[in-house]
């Protein structure tokens, strides 16, 4: 196979990685942008979405499309309920103190991971794709499901943007992000907004986990890479900048996918980490962060 087919394959794989990463990192950026806390357990919500997808899809054996649809609806709802409960029971009681919440979310990470290990087991399990067609290119056939993942991720990114920018709920979220005390003075229930944001961020990660599990098997340790890449994406794009997060995710995801095809996944992670170091040295606020007014 010549260079052209390899480049096309690398671009397709990078595109899938980019859009799944954008969906995952957007949840992390949203939580930090509004609540000003770093959610170290974010990758475990991704993992939990994938593991629950395996469980829910197993309820409908022999009908992959129906099982996957069930998982796509129920898994994010369950993860969102868990995240909402964690916020009310833990983070709210810490008054969203940045240092304390880092320790608390590290604790959540290990609790979720060990619970999944106990009840789900150490083995990886596959989920059958809901569709199995292939798109034929001049040199090879490519998984149609992976292209559906790209389309679904893009649609969810646009839906999240519409929710934040064109709805009353989004206006309340942005008001809370801009000035918490003023929002409280105008009668906005900030505590409930924070819980909703934390749940929404977890649900975005869970949806990404559901979408990726027919490509990667569900495993209790699969949350590490999404967490690392999400942090890299949010730092490069600018903490709290949703536009920057999406742009950075596309760039990092494409480069990660293409480098992984030609070289190795380890090299792509090394390059991404070096990029973060350069951004922190020369532009610590991130490449796309809004300048202070």
């Amino acid at each position: 196979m010549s260079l052209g087919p390899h480049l096309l394959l690398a671009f397709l794989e990078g595109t899938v990685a980019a859009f799944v990463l954008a969906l995952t990192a957007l949840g992390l950026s949203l939580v930090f942008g509004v609540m000003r806390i770093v959610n170290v357990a974010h990758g475990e919500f991704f993992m939990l979405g994938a593991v629950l997808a395996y469980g829910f899809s197993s309820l409908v054996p022999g009908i992959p499309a129906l099982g996957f649809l069930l998982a796509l609806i129920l898994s994010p709802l369950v993860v969102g309920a868990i995240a909402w409960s964690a916020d009310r029971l833990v983070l709210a009681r810490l008054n969203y103190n940045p240092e304390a919440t880092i320790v608390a979310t590290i604790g959540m990470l290990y609790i979720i991971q060990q619970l999944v290990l106990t009840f789900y087991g150490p083995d990886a399990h596959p989920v059958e794709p809901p569709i199995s067609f292939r798109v034929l290119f001049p040199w090879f056939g490519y998984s149609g499901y992976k292209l559906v993942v790209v389309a679904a991720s893009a649609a969810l990114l646009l839906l999240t943007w519409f929710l934040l920018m064109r709805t009353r709920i989004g206006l309340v979220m942005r008001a809370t992000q801009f000035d918490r005390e003023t929002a409280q003075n105008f009668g906005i229930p900030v505590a409930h907004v924070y819980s909703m944001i934390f749940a929404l961020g977890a649900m975005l990660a869970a949806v990404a986990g559901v979408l990726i599990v027919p490509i990667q098997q569900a495993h209790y340790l699969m949350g590490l890479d999404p967490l690392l890449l999400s942090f890299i994406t949010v730092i490069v794009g600018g903490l709290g900048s949703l536009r920057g997060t999406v742009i950075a995710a596309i760039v990092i995801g494409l480069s990660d996918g293409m480098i992984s095809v030609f070289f190795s996944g380890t090299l792509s992670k090394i390059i991404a980490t070096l990029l973060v170091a350069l951004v922190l040295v020369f532009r610590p606020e991130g490449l796309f962060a809004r300048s202070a007014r």
Side-chain angles (χ1 to χ4, degrees):
M1 191 183 291
S2 61
L3 181 61
H6 277 100
L7 282 173
L8 178 59
L9 178 61
F11 176 78
L12 291 171
E13 290 295 310
T15 302
V16 175
F19 277 88
V20 172
L21 175 59
L23 201 58
T24 309
L26 184 61
L28 185 65
S29 180
L30 190 61
V31 168
F32 180 85
V34 177
M35 301 172 67
R36 297 299 172 187
I37 66 170
V38 177
N39 179 19
V40 184
H42 191 69
E44 302 316 300
F45 292 136
F46 177 96
M47 176 271 291
L48 201 54
V51 169
L52 288 172
Y54 168 76
F56 286 126
S57 63
S58 300
L59 298 176
V60 192
I63 313 177
L66 182 58
F68 184 80
L69 180 61
L70 184 68
L72 190 60
I73 295 172
L74 295 183
S75 295
L77 291 176
V78 172
V79 173
I82 292 172
W84 186 89
S85 301
D87 176 82
R88 301 312 306 154
L89 293 174
V90 181
L91 303 183
R93 294 175 184 272
L94 297 173
N95 199 29
Y96 303 103
N97 177 273
E99 291 81 6
T101 51
I102 289 177
V103 177
T105 53
I106 291 174
M108 289 181 197
L109 183 156
Y110 285 110
I111 290 171
I112 294 172
Q113 194 177 93
Q114 293 306 307
L115 285 174
V116 172
L117 175 61
T118 300
F119 293 102
Y120 175 78
D123 297 327
H125 295 283
V127 172
E128 190 174 350
I131 52 177
S132 57
F133 72 93
R134 297 184 70 81
V135 177
L136 295 178
F137 291 97
W139 304 285
F140 54 81
Y142 192 72
S143 168
Y145 175 73
K146 290 185 177 181
L147 299 180
V148 170
V149 168
V150 172
S153 299
L156 286 169
L157 290 171
L158 288 173
L159 183 62
T160 305
W161 174 86
F162 180 82
L163 174 68
L164 295 174
M165 299 299 175
R166 293 291 185 267
T167 66
R168 181 177 177 80
I169 295 175
L171 179 63
V172 168
M173 291 179 183
R174 286 183 285 122
T176 304
Q177 176 184 10
F178 184 75
D179 193 322
R180 174 181 175 177
E181 292 184 0
T182 302
Q184 282 181 321
N185 293 335
F186 276 91
I188 294 176
V190 171
H192 293 294
V193 173
Y194 278 9
S195 298
M196 182 170 56
I197 288 289
F198 196 71
L200 178 59
M203 289 174 70
L204 288 172
V207 170
V210 175
L211 291 175
I212 206 67
V213 75
I215 302 172
Q216 301 176 4
Q217 295 185 358
H219 188 261
Y220 82 102
L221 293 176
M222 69 183 298
L224 179 60
D225 277 354
L227 177 65
L228 174 62
L229 288 174
S230 294
F231 272 122
I232 290 172
T233 300
V234 171
I235 291 170
V236 171
L239 295 173
S241 171
L242 301 185
R243 177 178 65 91
T245 297
V246 173
I247 294 173
I250 292 173
V251 173
I252 292 171
L254 277 172
S255 61
D256 180 70
M258 296 184 76
I259 292 171
S260 297
V261 168
F262 283 103
F263 300 100
S264 70
T266 303
L267 178 62
S268 67
K269 303 298 185 299
I270 292 173
I271 293 174
T273 305
L274 290 174
L275 177 60
V276 169
L278 290 173
V279 169
L280 290 175
V281 170
F282 295 104
R283 192 175 171 84
E285 70 275 15
L287 297 179
F288 302 96
R290 294 180 179 178
S291 58
R293 294 182 178 180

